[in-house]
Amino acid sequence: MSFLRERFKPNGGPDGGNGGRGGSVIFEAVTNLQTLADLEYMHQIKGENGDHGKGAARNGAAGKDKIINVPCGTVIYDLATGEGCADLVEPGDRFVAARGGRGGRGNRYFASSSRKAPRFCEQGESGEEVMLRLELSLIADVGLVGLPNVGKSSILAAISNAQPKIANYPFTTLSPNLGVLNTGDERIVIADIPGLIEGAHENRGLGLDFLRHVDRTRLLIHVLSLESGDYDSILNDFEVVRREMQEYDEKLPQRPYFVVGNKSDEIDDDALKTLSTSLREHFAAIGTRFLLTSALTEDGIPELYKEITKFAALHPRPQSNVRLFAMEEKLPEKMPLRKRAKIQIIALHGGGYRVLHTQLEKAVERYDFSQEENVARFVRLLRKHKVEELLEAAGAVSGDSVAIGYKEFNFYPDYYPSEEYDSENEEDSE
C-alpha cells in the first residue's frame, strides 16, 4: 500500500504495485543423469517467492521456477491416488508439478472513480502443493534378462563400455547397469537388468525392479547359464523367465528376442556340442535364434555383437509410442464467470462450524486483516453471501467459533438491510 508523494503533488493518489507470482516446481528430463539418487534426500521442494510490490507503481518480480533435473525415463505418480502424472522420456520433456501462486494486488489496482484512495492491498495466494512419487523406468534399446548369476553383467562388459560389478553369487546386480554399443551409425543402449526368481511378478526377490525396466526395451536377450549341462534344467530356467514376463504384462513375451547360452567354458567340449545342438534345434523349432557364448573367454561375443547391430538396423528406435502413458498438461482450474457456488456449513464435532466456499476461502487467504478496509470488505462479502443467516439456520449462536479457510472467527450476528450492501465496490467475483 503506497501513495504518491512528490513536490507539488502532496496527494498524488495510490501507487502501490502488485506482487510477483511465485515460482513453479518443474521436472525436466536430461541425458546426463542415470539415477534418481540426487533426489533421495530432497523431501520438500519449493519454488522461489515472488517479490513484493513497491511504490511508484512498480510491480514485484516473479519468483524463479525451481527446475529439477531427472533422468530420461522418469515416471511421476500422484502419491495420494497412484495415478500417473507424467512420463518424461525424451531429453527436454518437462512436467509442471506445482504452479506458483498469484501475487497480491497493490492498492493502485483498487483505485476507481468511486474509490479514489484505497487504503488496503492484498496478500499473494499460496502456490499449489502436491505429494509425488518418482520411479525410473530405464530407456534402453536392448535388455539382458535371465535368472540371477547367469552372466548378464559379464556379457554387458564384454560387448560394451560398461564396467558393472561382477561376482559369483546371486543378485550381484541390485540396480540396472547401462552400456553403450557404438556401431558408428548409432549408439545402442544395453541394460543389464537385475535377475529375477519365480514369483517375480508378485515382487519376490528383485521382481518388480527387473520387470519395470523391461517396459521400454526394443529387444530382449534371454541369457541362460550352461554351467549345469542339464538340458531340461536350462529350458526350465528359460520358461521361468518367460512365465514371469507373461504374468507381469501379456505383451512382453511378444517383444522380439533371441537366446544366448552363456558360460560355455564351464563344460567339456563333447557335452557342450551335444547340449548346444539340442538347444539350437529346440529354439529353431519355435522360431528363435540361439547363440553360444562365453563372456570369460569371449567366444561367440563377435557373433552376438553382429546380431545386436543387425537387429538395431531392422528395428529403428520408436519416437511416438515409448511413453507408458500420454502426457497431459495440467491447466489451472478456473471458476465459470457469473456462476456462484453454494455455501456449505459443516458442524464440527468439537464445537463450532466450518464454512466451505471457494471465494470466501480465497478471500481469507488474500485479505490482510490488519488493514481496517480489508475487514470491512470481508464483512461486505459475508453479507453478500448471507453467511450469517446460513450459520443461524445451521444452529450457530453468538460466540460460536466459525472457521473459513485457515482462519477462525467468533460468530456475532449483525444484520444490515440488503440495500446497504455495497455491491458496486465488491470486486472479488472470481
PDB file of all heavy atoms in Angstrom, residues 390-419:
ATOM      1  N   LEU A 390     -27.181 -18.189   7.094  1.00  0.00           N
ATOM      2  CA  LEU A 390     -26.959 -19.625   6.917  1.00  0.00           C
ATOM      3  C   LEU A 390     -26.388 -20.259   8.182  1.00  0.00           C
ATOM      4  O   LEU A 390     -26.736 -21.406   8.525  1.00  0.00           O
ATOM      5  CB  LEU A 390     -26.001 -19.853   5.742  1.00  0.00           C
ATOM      6  CG  LEU A 390     -26.548 -19.482   4.348  1.00  0.00           C
ATOM      7  CD1 LEU A 390     -25.438 -19.570   3.301  1.00  0.00           C
ATOM      8  CD2 LEU A 390     -27.690 -20.420   3.970  1.00  0.00           C
ATOM      9  N   LEU A 391     -25.529 -19.541   8.883  1.00  0.00           N
ATOM     10  CA  LEU A 391     -24.981 -20.077  10.129  1.00  0.00           C
ATOM     11  C   LEU A 391     -26.070 -20.220  11.190  1.00  0.00           C
ATOM     12  O   LEU A 391     -26.124 -21.236  11.911  1.00  0.00           O
ATOM     13  CB  LEU A 391     -23.858 -19.176  10.642  1.00  0.00           C
ATOM     14  CG  LEU A 391     -22.509 -19.302   9.931  1.00  0.00           C
ATOM     15  CD1 LEU A 391     -21.573 -18.164  10.317  1.00  0.00           C
ATOM     16  CD2 LEU A 391     -21.858 -20.650  10.265  1.00  0.00           C
ATOM     17  N   GLU A 392     -26.929 -19.213  11.300  1.00  0.00           N
ATOM     18  CA  GLU A 392     -28.017 -19.309  12.276  1.00  0.00           C
ATOM     19  C   GLU A 392     -28.968 -20.444  11.922  1.00  0.00           C
ATOM     20  O   GLU A 392     -29.464 -21.159  12.802  1.00  0.00           O
ATOM     21  CB  GLU A 392     -28.759 -17.984  12.347  1.00  0.00           C
ATOM     22  CG  GLU A 392     -28.003 -16.912  13.124  1.00  0.00           C
ATOM     23  CD  GLU A 392     -28.936 -15.817  13.617  1.00  0.00           C
ATOM     24  OE1 GLU A 392     -29.946 -15.554  12.937  1.00  0.00           O
ATOM     25  OE2 GLU A 392     -28.644 -15.232  14.679  1.00  0.00           O
ATOM     26  N   ALA A 393     -29.216 -20.636  10.639  1.00  0.00           N
ATOM     27  CA  ALA A 393     -30.081 -21.744  10.216  1.00  0.00           C
ATOM     28  C   ALA A 393     -29.452 -23.084  10.565  1.00  0.00           C
ATOM     29  O   ALA A 393     -30.163 -24.074  10.812  1.00  0.00           O
ATOM     30  CB  ALA A 393     -30.336 -21.651   8.714  1.00  0.00           C
ATOM     31  N   ALA A 394     -28.109 -23.151  10.574  1.00  0.00           N
ATOM     32  CA  ALA A 394     -27.421 -24.398  10.921  1.00  0.00           C
ATOM     33  C   ALA A 394     -27.328 -24.599  12.429  1.00  0.00           C
ATOM     34  O   ALA A 394     -26.839 -25.643  12.879  1.00  0.00           O
ATOM     35  CB  ALA A 394     -26.022 -24.413  10.306  1.00  0.00           C
ATOM     36  N   GLY A 395     -27.763 -23.601  13.230  1.00  0.00           N
ATOM     37  CA  GLY A 395     -27.765 -23.742  14.675  1.00  0.00           C
ATOM     38  C   GLY A 395     -26.710 -22.942  15.394  1.00  0.00           C
ATOM     39  O   GLY A 395     -26.544 -23.083  16.614  1.00  0.00           O
ATOM     40  N   ALA A 396     -25.982 -22.082  14.698  1.00  0.00           N
ATOM     41  CA  ALA A 396     -24.936 -21.294  15.346  1.00  0.00           C
ATOM     42  C   ALA A 396     -25.547 -20.205  16.215  1.00  0.00           C
ATOM     43  O   ALA A 396     -26.572 -19.609  15.866  1.00  0.00           O
ATOM     44  CB  ALA A 396     -24.025 -20.665  14.287  1.00  0.00           C
ATOM     45  N   VAL A 397     -24.929 -19.955  17.357  1.00  0.00           N
ATOM     46  CA  VAL A 397     -25.375 -18.894  18.258  1.00  0.00           C
ATOM     47  C   VAL A 397     -24.199 -17.955  18.508  1.00  0.00           C
ATOM     48  O   VAL A 397     -23.044 -18.268  18.207  1.00  0.00           O
ATOM     49  CB  VAL A 397     -25.903 -19.464  19.594  1.00  0.00           C
ATOM     50  CG1 VAL A 397     -27.128 -20.328  19.363  1.00  0.00           C
ATOM     51  CG2 VAL A 397     -24.803 -20.266  20.300  1.00  0.00           C
ATOM     52  N   SER A 398     -24.496 -16.804  19.056  1.00  0.00           N
ATOM     53  CA  SER A 398     -23.475 -15.789  19.292  1.00  0.00           C
ATOM     54  C   SER A 398     -22.345 -16.347  20.162  1.00  0.00           C
ATOM     55  O   SER A 398     -22.585 -16.985  21.189  1.00  0.00           O
ATOM     56  CB  SER A 398     -24.110 -14.572  19.970  1.00  0.00           C
ATOM     57  OG  SER A 398     -23.149 -13.560  20.164  1.00  0.00           O
ATOM     58  N   GLY A 399     -21.102 -16.121  19.719  1.00  0.00           N
ATOM     59  CA  GLY A 399     -19.936 -16.601  20.457  1.00  0.00           C
ATOM     60  C   GLY A 399     -19.352 -17.884  19.922  1.00  0.00           C
ATOM     61  O   GLY A 399     -18.241 -18.267  20.313  1.00  0.00           O
ATOM     62  N   ASP A 400     -20.079 -18.592  19.042  1.00  0.00           N
ATOM     63  CA  ASP A 400     -19.547 -19.834  18.470  1.00  0.00           C
ATOM     64  C   ASP A 400     -18.347 -19.539  17.574  1.00  0.00           C
ATOM     65  O   ASP A 400     -18.240 -18.476  16.967  1.00  0.00           O
ATOM     66  CB  ASP A 400     -20.621 -20.544  17.640  1.00  0.00           C
ATOM     67  CG  ASP A 400     -21.598 -21.323  18.521  1.00  0.00           C
ATOM     68  OD1 ASP A 400     -21.298 -21.459  19.724  1.00  0.00           O
ATOM     69  OD2 ASP A 400     -22.637 -21.775  18.012  1.00  0.00           O
ATOM     70  N   SER A 401     -17.451 -20.539  17.479  1.00  0.00           N
ATOM     71  CA  SER A 401     -16.276 -20.420  16.619  1.00  0.00           C
ATOM     72  C   SER A 401     -16.652 -20.812  15.190  1.00  0.00           C
ATOM     73  O   SER A 401     -17.305 -21.836  14.966  1.00  0.00           O
ATOM     74  CB  SER A 401     -15.148 -21.328  17.134  1.00  0.00           C
ATOM     75  OG  SER A 401     -14.059 -21.328  16.248  1.00  0.00           O
ATOM     76  N   VAL A 402     -16.241 -19.990  14.219  1.00  0.00           N
ATOM     77  CA  VAL A 402     -16.517 -20.254  12.806  1.00  0.00           C
ATOM     78  C   VAL A 402     -15.192 -20.223  12.052  1.00  0.00           C
ATOM     79  O   VAL A 402     -14.438 -19.246  12.144  1.00  0.00           O
ATOM     80  CB  VAL A 402     -17.485 -19.209  12.212  1.00  0.00           C
ATOM     81  CG1 VAL A 402     -17.670 -19.447  10.718  1.00  0.00           C
ATOM     82  CG2 VAL A 402     -18.818 -19.255  12.939  1.00  0.00           C
ATOM     83  N   ALA A 403     -14.888 -21.310  11.325  1.00  0.00           N
ATOM     84  CA  ALA A 403     -13.641 -21.414  10.559  1.00  0.00           C
ATOM     85  C   ALA A 403     -13.936 -21.225   9.080  1.00  0.00           C
ATOM     86  O   ALA A 403     -14.857 -21.844   8.537  1.00  0.00           O
ATOM     87  CB  ALA A 403     -12.978 -22.765  10.801  1.00  0.00           C
ATOM     88  N   ILE A 404     -13.162 -20.354   8.451  1.00  0.00           N
ATOM     89  CA  ILE A 404     -13.211 -20.174   6.994  1.00  0.00           C
ATOM     90  C   ILE A 404     -11.777 -20.264   6.501  1.00  0.00           C
ATOM     91  O   ILE A 404     -10.936 -19.441   6.872  1.00  0.00           O
ATOM     92  CB  ILE A 404     -13.824 -18.816   6.588  1.00  0.00           C
ATOM     93  CG1 ILE A 404     -15.217 -18.655   7.187  1.00  0.00           C
ATOM     94  CG2 ILE A 404     -13.877 -18.673   5.073  1.00  0.00           C
ATOM     95  CD1 ILE A 404     -15.857 -17.298   6.893  1.00  0.00           C
ATOM     96  N   GLY A 405     -11.492 -21.268   5.682  1.00  0.00           N
ATOM     97  CA  GLY A 405     -10.113 -21.483   5.263  1.00  0.00           C
ATOM     98  C   GLY A 405      -9.256 -21.817   6.465  1.00  0.00           C
ATOM     99  O   GLY A 405      -9.592 -22.688   7.264  1.00  0.00           O
ATOM    100  N   TYR A 406      -8.141 -21.106   6.640  1.00  0.00           N
ATOM    101  CA  TYR A 406      -7.246 -21.384   7.767  1.00  0.00           C
ATOM    102  C   TYR A 406      -7.435 -20.405   8.926  1.00  0.00           C
ATOM    103  O   TYR A 406      -6.669 -20.412   9.883  1.00  0.00           O
ATOM    104  CB  TYR A 406      -5.778 -21.331   7.298  1.00  0.00           C
ATOM    105  CG  TYR A 406      -5.313 -19.977   6.826  1.00  0.00           C
ATOM    106  CD1 TYR A 406      -4.751 -19.071   7.720  1.00  0.00           C
ATOM    107  CD2 TYR A 406      -5.423 -19.608   5.492  1.00  0.00           C
ATOM    108  CE1 TYR A 406      -4.328 -17.830   7.310  1.00  0.00           C
ATOM    109  CE2 TYR A 406      -4.996 -18.366   5.056  1.00  0.00           C
ATOM    110  CZ  TYR A 406      -4.445 -17.486   5.964  1.00  0.00           C
ATOM    111  OH  TYR A 406      -4.023 -16.254   5.541  1.00  0.00           O
ATOM    112  N   LYS A 407      -8.462 -19.573   8.869  1.00  0.00           N
ATOM    113  CA  LYS A 407      -8.704 -18.604   9.945  1.00  0.00           C
ATOM    114  C   LYS A 407      -9.979 -18.954  10.707  1.00  0.00           C
ATOM    115  O   LYS A 407     -10.914 -19.525  10.135  1.00  0.00           O
ATOM    116  CB  LYS A 407      -8.812 -17.186   9.379  1.00  0.00           C
ATOM    117  CG  LYS A 407      -7.470 -16.544   9.059  1.00  0.00           C
ATOM    118  CD  LYS A 407      -7.620 -15.056   8.852  1.00  0.00           C
ATOM    119  CE  LYS A 407      -6.257 -14.399   8.652  1.00  0.00           C
ATOM    120  NZ  LYS A 407      -5.467 -14.388   9.887  1.00  0.00           N
ATOM    121  N   GLU A 408      -9.987 -18.584  11.977  1.00  0.00           N
ATOM    122  CA  GLU A 408     -11.165 -18.789  12.814  1.00  0.00           C
ATOM    123  C   GLU A 408     -11.678 -17.442  13.303  1.00  0.00           C
ATOM    124  O   GLU A 408     -10.895 -16.536  13.626  1.00  0.00           O
ATOM    125  CB  GLU A 408     -10.836 -19.698  14.004  1.00  0.00           C
ATOM    126  CG  GLU A 408     -10.619 -21.154  13.630  1.00  0.00           C
ATOM    127  CD  GLU A 408     -10.552 -22.056  14.849  1.00  0.00           C
ATOM    128  OE1 GLU A 408     -10.705 -21.512  15.980  1.00  0.00           O
ATOM    129  OE2 GLU A 408     -10.353 -23.262  14.681  1.00  0.00           O
ATOM    130  N   PHE A 409     -13.005 -17.312  13.354  1.00  0.00           N
ATOM    131  CA  PHE A 409     -13.650 -16.088  13.828  1.00  0.00           C
ATOM    132  C   PHE A 409     -14.685 -16.463  14.879  1.00  0.00           C
ATOM    133  O   PHE A 409     -15.151 -17.612  14.920  1.00  0.00           O
ATOM    134  CB  PHE A 409     -14.366 -15.355  12.683  1.00  0.00           C
ATOM    135  CG  PHE A 409     -13.486 -15.110  11.470  1.00  0.00           C
ATOM    136  CD1 PHE A 409     -13.390 -16.039  10.445  1.00  0.00           C
ATOM    137  CD2 PHE A 409     -12.771 -13.928  11.363  1.00  0.00           C
ATOM    138  CE1 PHE A 409     -12.596 -15.808   9.351  1.00  0.00           C
ATOM    139  CE2 PHE A 409     -11.967 -13.689  10.260  1.00  0.00           C
ATOM    140  CZ  PHE A 409     -11.883 -14.628   9.246  1.00  0.00           C
ATOM    141  N   ASN A 410     -15.054 -15.518  15.708  1.00  0.00           N
ATOM    142  CA  ASN A 410     -16.178 -15.699  16.619  1.00  0.00           C
ATOM    143  C   ASN A 410     -17.434 -15.129  15.968  1.00  0.00           C
ATOM    144  O   ASN A 410     -17.399 -14.062  15.355  1.00  0.00           O
ATOM    145  CB  ASN A 410     -15.919 -15.010  17.960  1.00  0.00           C
ATOM    146  CG  ASN A 410     -14.849 -15.720  18.760  1.00  0.00           C
ATOM    147  OD1 ASN A 410     -14.741 -16.941  18.698  1.00  0.00           O
ATOM    148  ND2 ASN A 410     -14.052 -14.965  19.495  1.00  0.00           N
ATOM    149  N   PHE A 411     -18.520 -15.853  16.103  1.00  0.00           N
ATOM    150  CA  PHE A 411     -19.764 -15.503  15.421  1.00  0.00           C
ATOM    151  C   PHE A 411     -20.568 -14.514  16.276  1.00  0.00           C
ATOM    152  O   PHE A 411     -21.020 -14.843  17.368  1.00  0.00           O
ATOM    153  CB  PHE A 411     -20.570 -16.778  15.159  1.00  0.00           C
ATOM    154  CG  PHE A 411     -21.906 -16.529  14.512  1.00  0.00           C
ATOM    155  CD1 PHE A 411     -22.000 -15.832  13.315  1.00  0.00           C
ATOM    156  CD2 PHE A 411     -23.077 -17.003  15.101  1.00  0.00           C
ATOM    157  CE1 PHE A 411     -23.222 -15.606  12.715  1.00  0.00           C
ATOM    158  CE2 PHE A 411     -24.312 -16.780  14.508  1.00  0.00           C
ATOM    159  CZ  PHE A 411     -24.383 -16.085  13.316  1.00  0.00           C
ATOM    160  N   TYR A 412     -20.706 -13.290  15.758  1.00  0.00           N
ATOM    161  CA  TYR A 412     -21.561 -12.280  16.394  1.00  0.00           C
ATOM    162  C   TYR A 412     -22.437 -11.685  15.296  1.00  0.00           C
ATOM    163  O   TYR A 412     -21.999 -10.781  14.568  1.00  0.00           O
ATOM    164  CB  TYR A 412     -20.720 -11.177  17.052  1.00  0.00           C
ATOM    165  CG  TYR A 412     -19.897 -11.684  18.212  1.00  0.00           C
ATOM    166  CD1 TYR A 412     -18.520 -11.805  18.110  1.00  0.00           C
ATOM    167  CD2 TYR A 412     -20.519 -12.041  19.415  1.00  0.00           C
ATOM    168  CE1 TYR A 412     -17.771 -12.274  19.170  1.00  0.00           C
ATOM    169  CE2 TYR A 412     -19.773 -12.505  20.482  1.00  0.00           C
ATOM    170  CZ  TYR A 412     -18.404 -12.630  20.358  1.00  0.00           C
ATOM    171  OH  TYR A 412     -17.669 -13.099  21.418  1.00  0.00           O
ATOM    172  N   PRO A 413     -23.653 -12.199  15.115  1.00  0.00           N
ATOM    173  CA  PRO A 413     -24.510 -11.740  14.010  1.00  0.00           C
ATOM    174  C   PRO A 413     -24.855 -10.265  14.141  1.00  0.00           C
ATOM    175  O   PRO A 413     -25.114  -9.761  15.235  1.00  0.00           O
ATOM    176  CB  PRO A 413     -25.759 -12.629  14.135  1.00  0.00           C
ATOM    177  CG  PRO A 413     -25.754 -13.125  15.536  1.00  0.00           C
ATOM    178  CD  PRO A 413     -24.317 -13.219  15.946  1.00  0.00           C
ATOM    179  N   ASP A 414     -24.850  -9.586  13.008  1.00  0.00           N
ATOM    180  CA  ASP A 414     -25.121  -8.151  12.979  1.00  0.00           C
ATOM    181  C   ASP A 414     -25.757  -7.854  11.630  1.00  0.00           C
ATOM    182  O   ASP A 414     -25.074  -7.716  10.632  1.00  0.00           O
ATOM    183  CB  ASP A 414     -23.826  -7.363  13.146  1.00  0.00           C
ATOM    184  CG  ASP A 414     -24.092  -5.869  13.283  1.00  0.00           C
ATOM    185  OD1 ASP A 414     -25.264  -5.516  13.480  1.00  0.00           O
ATOM    186  OD2 ASP A 414     -23.130  -5.084  13.186  1.00  0.00           O
ATOM    187  N   TYR A 415     -27.085  -7.802  11.596  1.00  0.00           N
ATOM    188  CA  TYR A 415     -27.803  -7.681  10.331  1.00  0.00           C
ATOM    189  C   TYR A 415     -27.856  -6.245   9.842  1.00  0.00           C
ATOM    190  O   TYR A 415     -27.972  -5.304  10.606  1.00  0.00           O
ATOM    191  CB  TYR A 415     -29.236  -8.205  10.482  1.00  0.00           C
ATOM    192  CG  TYR A 415     -29.286  -9.662  10.825  1.00  0.00           C
ATOM    193  CD1 TYR A 415     -29.898 -10.091  12.005  1.00  0.00           C
ATOM    194  CD2 TYR A 415     -28.722 -10.595   9.983  1.00  0.00           C
ATOM    195  CE1 TYR A 415     -29.934 -11.431  12.325  1.00  0.00           C
ATOM    196  CE2 TYR A 415     -28.752 -11.938  10.302  1.00  0.00           C
ATOM    197  CZ  TYR A 415     -29.357 -12.350  11.472  1.00  0.00           C
ATOM    198  OH  TYR A 415     -29.391 -13.670  11.779  1.00  0.00           O
ATOM    199  N   TYR A 416     -27.787  -6.115   8.527  1.00  0.00           N
ATOM    200  CA  TYR A 416     -27.951  -4.828   7.873  1.00  0.00           C
ATOM    201  C   TYR A 416     -28.936  -5.009   6.732  1.00  0.00           C
ATOM    202  O   TYR A 416     -28.979  -6.072   6.104  1.00  0.00           O
ATOM    203  CB  TYR A 416     -26.616  -4.319   7.315  1.00  0.00           C
ATOM    204  CG  TYR A 416     -25.694  -3.817   8.377  1.00  0.00           C
ATOM    205  CD1 TYR A 416     -24.927  -4.713   9.132  1.00  0.00           C
ATOM    206  CD2 TYR A 416     -25.605  -2.463   8.650  1.00  0.00           C
ATOM    207  CE1 TYR A 416     -24.076  -4.247  10.120  1.00  0.00           C
ATOM    208  CE2 TYR A 416     -24.746  -1.995   9.636  1.00  0.00           C
ATOM    209  CZ  TYR A 416     -23.987  -2.892  10.367  1.00  0.00           C
ATOM    210  OH  TYR A 416     -23.155  -2.433  11.347  1.00  0.00           O
ATOM    211  N   PRO A 417     -29.730  -3.986   6.434  1.00  0.00           N
ATOM    212  CA  PRO A 417     -30.664  -4.110   5.311  1.00  0.00           C
ATOM    213  C   PRO A 417     -29.913  -4.391   4.023  1.00  0.00           C
ATOM    214  O   PRO A 417     -28.788  -3.936   3.818  1.00  0.00           O
ATOM    215  CB  PRO A 417     -31.358  -2.747   5.259  1.00  0.00           C
ATOM    216  CG  PRO A 417     -31.113  -2.129   6.593  1.00  0.00           C
ATOM    217  CD  PRO A 417     -29.825  -2.669   7.096  1.00  0.00           C
ATOM    218  N   SER A 418     -30.521  -5.163   3.131  1.00  0.00           N
ATOM    219  CA  SER A 418     -29.875  -5.577   1.889  1.00  0.00           C
ATOM    220  C   SER A 418     -29.508  -4.393   1.022  1.00  0.00           C
ATOM    221  O   SER A 418     -28.552  -4.437   0.266  1.00  0.00           O
ATOM    222  CB  SER A 418     -30.792  -6.520   1.098  1.00  0.00           C
ATOM    223  OG  SER A 418     -32.014  -5.885   0.815  1.00  0.00           O
ATOM    224  N   GLU A 419     -30.253  -3.237   1.128  1.00  0.00           N
ATOM    225  CA  GLU A 419     -29.936  -2.100   0.260  1.00  0.00           C
ATOM    226  C   GLU A 419     -28.621  -1.428   0.667  1.00  0.00           C
ATOM    227  O   GLU A 419     -28.073  -0.611  -0.067  1.00  0.00           O
ATOM    228  CB  GLU A 419     -31.065  -1.065   0.266  1.00  0.00           C
ATOM    229  CG  GLU A 419     -31.416  -0.509   1.646  1.00  0.00           C
ATOM    230  CD  GLU A 419     -32.540  -1.303   2.283  1.00  0.00           C
ATOM    231  OE1 GLU A 419     -32.789  -2.436   1.803  1.00  0.00           O
ATOM    232  OE2 GLU A 419     -33.179  -0.808   3.217  1.00  0.00           O
TER     233      GLU A 419
END
